Structure formats: C-alpha cells, structure tokens
Amino acid sequence: MSGISTAQGVATPVRETSSYLDELNPAQHAAVTFGVDGQQAARKTPPLLVIAGAGSGKTKTLAHRVAHLILNGADPRRILLLTFARRMAAEMTRRVEGICARALAGRAVPAGAIEWSGTFHAVGAKLLRMHAQSIGIDPGFSILDRSDAADLMDLVRDELGLSQAHGRFPKKATCLAIYSYAVNAQVPLHDALPRAFPWCADWEEPLKGLFAAYVAAKQAQSVLDYDDLLLYWSQMMEVGELARFVAGRFDHVLVDEYQDTNALQASILLALKPDGAGLTVVGDDAQSIYSFRSARVENILEFPGRFDPPAKVVTLEQNYRSTQPILEGCNRIIGHAADRYTKNLYSRRPGGSRPVIAMVADEAAQVEYVIERILANREAGMELREQAVLFRASHHSGQLEVELARRNIPFVKFGGLKFLEASHVKDLLAILRWAENPRDRVAGFRVLKLLPGVGPATARRALAAVESDGHGLAALGRFRPPPGAAQMWSGLAGTMQCLTASTLWEGQIERLRRWYDPMLELLYDAARVRRGDLEQLERMALQHASRASFLTDLALDPPVAAGDEAGPPLRDEDWLVLSTIHSAKGQEWRAVVILNVVDGCIPSDLATGTAAEIEEERRLLYVAMTRARDDLVLMQPLRFYVRGQALGADRHVYAPRSRFIADADLEAFELEGMPGHAPAEADPACAPTAANVDLMARMRQMWR
C-alpha cells in the first residue's frame, strides 16, 4: 500500500507505517477500496453507490474513502466533498486528515488542502462568485436567507397589488414555498401546484407573474436566494465550455446523504460527472424523509442505472448503535416497503430487550407513562439527556411539555429558533448586508424602519434617494427624515458611511454595535440575553477575513440563537430531549420513546393521499426507531379527545395501531398495557391542529 506526503497536495508514493484499513469491517473495506488501485486508477474510479444502513458507520466509511484516494495519489485539491451540513463537512475533513496522519506517521496532507468541502449551497456560492463575470451576475451578490427572501416576495406581492386580490391569495411564505418547490423539483408551475399546493391552483397566472417580478427584483438588487445558488449552478452546467471547465476542476466527487438530494442537485452531479467516473454517493433510501423539501428518493433508487455499465452498489448492514432486538423490530417495519434496497441491519452487541408497544387509555395516560418511564431510567443511572421523546408533528408534545414543566423536569425541544431568525441578529446582519450591497432593498428597508418615527413611506423615499445617487449610501446624510427621527438618523447615516468607506473588516461590528446597542432597550425585551447573541456574532466575525465571506457563511450555515422569542436560557444539570422525527435524523440516544404510533399520526392523516406519501411515512417511523441504542418504546393511545364536538356527545375517537406494524410483526415487540386493539372501523385520530452566458435572462425566461 502506498501513500503521499506533500506540501502542495501531490507527490510521489511513500510506504505506510500502519494500515488504516484494518479498522473497517468487510463491507466498509469494499466500499473504501472499490476502484482504487494505484495512482493512475485513482483518477478513474467507476461510479459507486454505498447504501449505508442506520448506525452502520457511514461517516467513517466516507472519510476513509477520501483518505484512501489521497493516499493512492489523488490530488486533494481536485476532490469535491458535498454534505448537507457545514459542520459535517468540517468533521469529514478533520477525519480524513487524521487518517492520513496515522497512515503516514505524521507526514500528512497539510490542513486545508481539501479546499472543496462543504454543502451544495456553499460550494454553489463559491463557484458562482468565481465565474460571475462569465454568467452575467455581480460577483459581490448578497445571499438572502429564507426570511429575507419571503420579505422580498412580500414587497413584490404588494407592489403588484396581489395583497388586495379578491379571494385568498397565498401569503408570502406560501408563495416562496411554491417558488422553491418548482425550482428544486424542476417542474413547471402548472405541475407543481396540483402536486404540492392544490388549493393554490387557481392562482397559477398571478403566481407566474409574481415569480417573474421576484426574479427581476433580485437581479436588480444583486441578491440571490438559497434556491438561486443551486439553480444558477445547474444552469451554468448546461453551457458546454463553462460546464467542461467547472467539471474539469474535480477528479473525484463524493456526496453524503444522497437520499436527501432533489432533482436540481442530482442534475448538477450528473453534469459534473456524466459518465460517473470518480463519482461516489452514500446514503440510505430507508431514511429518505424530506420530500417536503423536494428531496427525491428516486435519486438514490435510480442511481446505478444512470450509467453504463451500472454503478457498483455496496451495502453496509452491520449496525454499531442498537441492540439486535431493536434492529429486529426496525427490519420488520422497513421490510414492508414497496421499493427499496434490500438490507437487514444486524448488531454484534450482546443482550438487549425487545422494543415495547405500550398501549394506554388516552393522551393523558400516555404522558403519565412516558414520564414514569423516563424517571425510572434516570433512577437506574441513565441521565435525562441520554433519553429522547420523538413525535411526528410538533404539537403532539403539547400535553407532555405542560406536565414536564409542572413537575419541574427540564427539557429542550429540537427545531426551535435559529440564530438568523432572532430579530436583533437580523437587524445587525441587515446593516452589514446593506453596507456590502447598497442595492439590497430588503436589507435597507429593514434598517431604516428600525428608527422610531420612520415608516414604510419614509423608508421607500430614502431608498429612492439612495438609488438616484447611484446606490451611494452617502445620500442618507443628505436626506431629510421626519423631525422625530432626525437624531438617530444622523447616527445611522454616519455608521453606514463608516462601514462602506472602510476597507478594514476588523472592528466593523464593534463600531456598528456602538450605534445599535442603545436601541436594544427601545426595540426589544430581554436586552441582556440579546446582547449575548450579538457578542457571539462579533466573536464569529473574527474568524472571517472579510465582510462578504462572513455574511455568506452565516447565511449558509446559521447557528442556534439564545434570544428573541426563545426567552431567557434555563440552567440545569440535565435535560430531557424532545424532538420531531425530522429534527432527530442523524441523532441517537440510549432510550427513545415515540409518541402516538397510531394511524392518523404515523402515518399522518395529511400524508396518506398517495402511495409515495405513505411510503415516506413508513420511512419516518423507521428513522425514529433506529435512533435508539438500548431502549425503545412505541406509544399507542387507544383513544383521543376531539375538540369542537357538541356538548353531550362522545368527545373521543378510537385509534388503531399504525398500519406499519402488522399483526405478524408483533412477535418482535413486547406488548404492555391495555389488552386488545382499537376497532378496525375506528376513525383515525390526531386531527392536524469561461463561456459567456446571461443566466439572469434564463431565470427571467422561466416565468414567461
């Protein structure tokens, strides 16, 4: 076995001092070494699909394959590693460097040599800036987060008079969701509406006009939203010479969580590697649960047949997380899936008990059972944070949250407020974005409306003054504001001029905070907590070389907030985890309880319209079950209270066990609680409370 050691990323092979492959099981070894046979072969590896079952060491396998490529002569600067979280990309890079260091006794590839590692959106943003002049966009474009994109959509919606439209025209968030779905699923609007937004089908023409105006507004302001980062990249890969230039940058493209890709992302990958040479994708079709984000399970199911000859498929079935009895129950559930890669997870961990199906009288009894079991586990030595309660929809945990609070049992709920959603953080970022790109009307509008006495009309006049001055923010100093806002206006104008005139990034947030900090008391409550977020923002800024890179990275990978509606942070020695199943993917706990495993909840009665929706609900239950290491409980309340019925009527309905657990599967479970099952005729419960091309012209053409 040979390796490389270099200051530039490529050098002559050297002899290893230890075998990094010994720690892999046979299936992992096959995935890591497939197609890699010496320095020449490392540039021509055939396409590979790794089906990585839950807990099977997916990250370990992918990191070892990247390291194996490098140690066999691949240039790390020509490797593209795509993930769905920036933190995962950083972790993967760290692991690769560690493997190389051990294999070469410290003579490793230098840190940072793997420079093309990140999320699809981050890599897309980097490529677009590099080739901006060739595709007709401003290289200094700003990136709108989802909230800002919705605000811009709302501004355009209002300018077109659609907010006064007769009837129930979709609100801004729905409009953005429709636009995003059509773009990412790569379907025309007239197909997207009946498929995902049937109640909006009558608004097809107004929506098309809205989206055309939205695209024009973004282009006029030199801003891109998240979807544009993929859409422009995809369109760029349809321009022959430019596509060859971009694809020629990379010898190897490796993709994590391939089951979560959408049509747009799949088209990008196929354009990068049309024949599949050097392409490796890793994922698990049984964990494809994000169709609401336009993810296509078909991408992973159809991957091998995309190439001739078909891609090699290696399946990882050994699970390092759960006990065998838990895996037996999980295998039973997913074994009924209509279309899947056949795999049966197994574990070498000794012992373990069968997962429990706990039948309880109603939702109140469910809460009592869950809390008693959690506290019993705690008394047996299992900390609260080693336990999780999972649920299909956020509101399913409402009664449990109330009772946990009443008993003073601390908990944290996943899927809460994000850092960029906190109002005070958005304020500062809007100021920085406006300084970076004075064409950004959404940022400017937000900044101006911070000032007491400045309403929408004044803000629009001020923005018009900036625009007529060639988008120079110095115009703010000459603008005459309302008398009540004069003093603070002067401070803002001075701050904006300072930010735009300075070429030194260091200290800009400190300067900005001196102006903004007194406003915290005026605008928001819990100012002390919010200052903590702004201090965190300032610390993060120190890690970036420029304002542009800081804004880009923060927009693409926002951290969690401590302030805004989340309230003051609670302190405790321990806490229980509550989480939706979607938010729990990728996590694991010693003990897991799943609420409401009944028809109407899992599957949700909102997701049983098509066979594809039902199959995704099956995968959702499977994902929830595979989060457990030692202890798994599926809750089955036998009846649910129904609100809104007339007085004197029976206000309860009976709920059958989830259709995903057949009678024949019960032998894999331990049954506890009330005997029998709900009547088959019962109603479901849980009512849902280098070439030159003008890509900007292409974006406008999409909605004509």
Side-chain angles (χ1 to χ4, degrees):
M1 189 68 65
S2 63
I4 64 170
S5 176
T6 175
Q8 298 295 325
V10 181
T12 56
V14 299
R15 183 66 56 185
E16 292 178 23
T17 59
S18 63
S19 177
Y20 55 94
L21 299 176
D22 290 346
E23 56 194 80
L24 304 173
N25 67 38
Q28 292 171 336
H29 188 282
V32 167
T33 60
F34 172 73
V36 184
D37 184 18
Q39 189 165 348
Q40 181 64 26
R43 301 176 66 89
K44 300 179 180 179
T45 55
L48 171 65
L49 167 62
V50 181
I51 298 296
S56 62
K58 169 178 65 68
T59 302
K60 175 181 180 180
T61 302
L62 186 55
H64 273 76
R65 181 162 177 83
V66 176
H68 191 61
L69 288 167
I70 294 173
L71 291 166
N72 280 272
D75 184 347
R77 298 166 301 178
R78 298 181 59 80
I79 292 177
L80 173 59
L81 178 58
L82 292 167
T83 68
F84 276 79
R86 185 180 174 193
R87 289 175 294 278
M88 181 55 70
E91 169 66 13
M92 198 81 70
T93 301
R94 185 189 64 78
R95 287 197 185 195
V96 170
E97 292 170 349
I99 295 167
C100 291
R102 293 195 303 272
L104 300 172
R107 300 188 305 278
V109 177
I114 307 175
E115 59 187 56
W116 289 94
S117 174
T119 65
F120 274 90
H121 294 86
V123 171
K126 184 176 180 179
L127 285 169
L128 293 180
R129 292 198 194 278
M130 291 177 64
H131 300 285
Q133 293 184 342
S134 296
I135 58 179
I137 64 175
D138 183 351
F141 62 81
S142 301
I143 300 175
L144 298 177
D145 64 20
R146 292 294 184 193
S147 176
D148 289 326
D151 287 343
L152 179 57
M153 183 75 76
D154 200 35
L155 285 173
V156 176
R157 179 177 177 271
D158 184 61
E159 290 171 356
L160 294 178
L162 295 174
S163 56
Q164 288 82 39
H166 179 69
R168 189 164 60 105
F169 191 80
K171 294 186 177 181
K172 63 177 183 179
T174 304
C175 291
L176 184 63
I178 296 170
Y179 173 86
S180 183
Y181 182 86
V183 168
N184 286 286
Q186 290 288 273
V187 295
L189 186 60
H190 69 266
D191 291 334
L193 289 174
R195 182 186 301 181
F197 303 90
W199 70 272
C200 300
D202 292 341
W203 298 100
E204 179 180 342
E205 288 305 315
L207 283 169
K208 187 178 294 185
L210 171 63
F211 296 158
Y214 172 65
V215 170
K218 288 187 295 182
Q219 293 181 357
Q221 300 175 34
S222 296
V223 297
L224 273 64
D225 61 26
Y226 282 167
D227 301 320
D228 289 331
L229 299 176
L230 299 182
L231 183 58
Y232 277 72
W233 185 7
S234 174
Q235 292 287 310
M236 186 168 66
M237 298 304 294
E238 293 184 9
V239 182
E241 184 180 341
L242 190 53
R244 287 189 294 273
F245 185 79
V246 174
R249 286 182 174 275
F250 309 113
D251 295 329
H252 300 277
V253 178
L254 301 98
V255 186
D256 192 15
E257 303 285 9
Y258 189 65
Q259 78 280 350
D260 293 334
T261 55
N262 57 40
L264 199 53
Q265 290 161 327
S267 71
I268 290 170
L269 290 176
L270 293 176
L272 285 171
K273 296 294 178 185
D275 60 356
L279 181 58
T280 297
V281 301
V282 181
D284 182 6
D285 56 297
Q287 298 187 67
S288 178
I289 59 174
Y290 293 116
S291 66
F292 66 94
R293 297 179 185 168
S294 306
R296 295 179 71 250
V297 68
E298 292 82 5
N299 285 354
I300 194 168
L301 293 175
E302 298 169 358
F303 181 83
R306 296 277 190 177
F307 311 103
D308 186 20
K312 171 74 172 179
V313 180
V314 176
T315 303
L316 308 182
E317 295 180 303
Q318 184 174 351
N319 179 284
Y320 293 91
R321 175 186 299 156
S322 307
T323 60
Q324 186 59 42
I326 288 177
L327 294 179
E328 176 62 24
C330 297
N331 288 334
R332 292 289 189 112
I333 298 301
I334 203 62
H336 298 296
D339 296 308
R340 70 185 185 105
Y341 288 101
T342 301
K343 60 180 173 297
N344 287 290
L345 299 181
Y346 68 92
S347 173
R348 300 194 186 281
R349 290 184 57 195
S353 57
R354 289 184 295 176
V356 172
I357 295 179
M359 293 171 285
V360 294
D362 52 25
E363 293 171 281
Q366 174 177 244
V367 168
E368 186 67 25
Y369 180 98
V370 169
I371 291 179
E372 287 183 2
R373 186 159 189 118
I374 288 168
L375 293 179
N377 287 341
R378 181 176 179 273
E379 289 302 314
M382 189 185 300
E383 294 185 349
L384 291 177
R385 75 186 86 185
E386 295 180 300
Q387 306 180 63
V389 180
L390 308 183
F391 29 87
R392 173 63 179 85
S394 183
H395 65 272
H396 287 178
S397 66
Q399 289 193 32
L400 177 61
E401 292 177 48
V402 171
E403 188 62 17
L404 288 171
R406 191 185 71 81
R407 300 195 190 191
N408 198 30
I409 299 174
F411 66 91
V412 61
K413 188 172 182 179
F414 276 69
L417 192 70
K418 302 298 183 184
F419 190 82
L420 291 186
E421 295 170 359
S423 299
H424 50 294
V425 175
K426 287 184 68 67
D427 292 344
L428 255 68
L429 292 179
I431 297 171
L432 292 173
R433 279 178 39 215
W434 200 24
E436 184 68 20
N437 178 12
R439 295 175 180 267
D440 190 338
R441 288 179 61 88
V442 172
F445 196 70
R446 182 185 185 95
V447 172
L448 293 173
K449 289 209 304 177
L450 290 175
L451 303 181
V454 175
T458 301
R460 288 192 178 95
R461 290 200 307 273
L463 290 173
V466 170
E467 184 175 352
S468 64
D469 196 42
H471 297 283
L473 294 182
L476 293 175
R478 299 187 293 272
F479 183 81
R480 180 172 296 178
Q487 183 176 355
M488 300 202 74
W489 187 281
S490 175
L492 173 63
T495 299
M496 297 308 301
Q497 284 187 267
C498 178
L499 293 178
T500 53
S502 175
T503 58
L504 183 64
W505 165 233
E506 184 179 358
Q508 286 195 21
I509 292 187
E510 181 184 0
R511 167 69 176 84
L512 172 55
R513 287 189 62 192
R514 284 201 298 270
W515 173 78
Y516 179 80
D517 195 66
M519 300 186 66
L520 274 177
E521 302 285 353
L522 297 174
L523 296 172
Y524 308 112
D525 57 5
R528 182 186 58 81
V529 176
R530 296 171 190 273
R531 286 192 180 95
D533 281 341
L534 301 184
E535 289 170 1
Q536 179 185 352
L537 191 72
E538 192 169 352
R539 288 193 296 270
M540 294 167 60
L542 298 176
Q543 304 172 19
H544 294 78
S546 69
R547 184 170 59 204
S549 67
F550 173 66
L551 291 171
T552 297
D553 287 352
L554 201 60
L556 293 175
D557 187 39
V560 177
D564 208 15
E565 297 176 1
L570 300 177
R571 297 179 180 179
D572 204 281
E573 62 177 357
D574 199 7
W575 58 85
L576 176 69
V577 175
L578 308 183
S579 175
T580 62
I581 300 172
H582 284 100
S583 296
K585 185 172 177 290
Q587 305 295 319
E588 62 181 66
W589 296 272
R590 285 185 61 188
V592 170
V593 178
I594 307 173
L595 300 183
N596 300 335
V597 186
V598 297
D599 251 51
C601 292
I602 305 178
S604 167
D605 52 5
L606 296 178
T608 55
T610 66
E613 288 178 322
I614 294 173
E615 286 303 306
E616 180 159 331
E617 292 291 300
R618 184 195 311 278
R619 296 193 295 269
L620 200 62
L621 177 58
Y622 174 80
V623 166
M625 294 173 64
T626 54
R627 302 308 96 195
R629 295 204 298 264
D630 304 311
D631 187 64
L632 174 62
V633 178
L634 282 62
M635 299 301 304
Q636 183 189 346
L638 298 181
R639 63 178 185 172
F640 288 80
Y641 177 79
V642 178
R643 297 164 181 80
Q645 290 194 8
L647 290 174
D650 183 0
R651 295 192 175 195
H652 292 85
V653 295
Y654 290 90
R657 183 181 67 241
S658 173
R659 70 186 71 180
F660 302 137
I661 306 175
D663 288 342
D665 299 327
L666 293 178
E667 62 185 17
F669 296 86
E670 189 78 33
L671 301 183
E672 288 187 6
M674 300 180 64
H677 307 287
E681 69 275 12
D683 293 330
C686 280
T689 38
N692 290 315
V693 58
D694 188 354
L695 291 192
M696 296 174 73
R698 291 192 178 199
M699 302 307 135
R700 296 192 297 271
Q701 189 66 31
M702 286 181 62
W703 307 104
R704 292 179 180 171

